[in-house]
Amino acid sequence: MAEPEFTAQGVRIGRRLRSLTRAGQVRISDGRLQLLTSYGSEIDSAPVEAVRASRPWFAPDDRATADLNGTRYLLTLGEHDPAPGRPGPPAARRFIEAVRRAAERGG
């Protein structure tokens, strides 16, 4: 398996008003976007060409939406403080740019 193009840990993943996990993972690898629980089990995944990623106009800078397989997920990418010596969680803008770059390479 190749090195992931984008990885974020400690991500709150929600669907509508329901929180699916408060410490999940978002990973872009091998042309697929995966949403994972804190235990590593898959919530959803899709090819990056089929994913729509954006930032809601009403939300803070750490939030993004991702539409996968007809389901819209709200991702909070910057809520948690990083562990000492570790880089902070990526911002929503970096996530959106990573999805677009991966889709361009794949298509």
Side-chain angles (χ1 to χ4, degrees):
M1 180 182 259
E3 184 73 22
E5 299 167 33
F6 178 88
T7 302
Q9 296 179 340
V11 178
R12 177 182 287 263
I13 302 172
R15 184 172 54 213
R16 296 193 184 216
L17 297 176
R18 182 175 169 220
S19 177
L20 301 174
T21 183
R22 293 186 300 168
Q25 298 177 35
V26 176
R27 183 180 305 156
I28 299 174
S29 180
D30 297 328
R32 289 190 72 77
L33 172 70
Q34 294 179 304
L35 303 178
L36 307 168
T37 67
S38 56
Y39 298 108
S41 58
E42 188 174 282
I43 295 170
D44 205 349
S45 72
V48 289
E49 296 89 9
V51 174
R52 267 191 42 214
S54 61
R55 210 177 77 62
W57 64 271
F58 57 85
D61 288 341
D62 63 348
R63 298 219 175 119
T65 60
D67 294 341
L68 283 80
N69 303 319
T71 304
R72 177 168 288 170
Y73 296 94
L74 178 63
L75 310 174
T76 305
L77 293 145
E79 183 174 301
H80 306 287
D81 291 330
R86 304 273 302 189
R93 186 177 332 146
R94 274 193 53 213
F95 165 70
I96 294 166
E97 289 171 2
V99 170
R100 290 187 181 142
R101 278 194 312 268
E104 289 171 2
R105 271 196 297 276

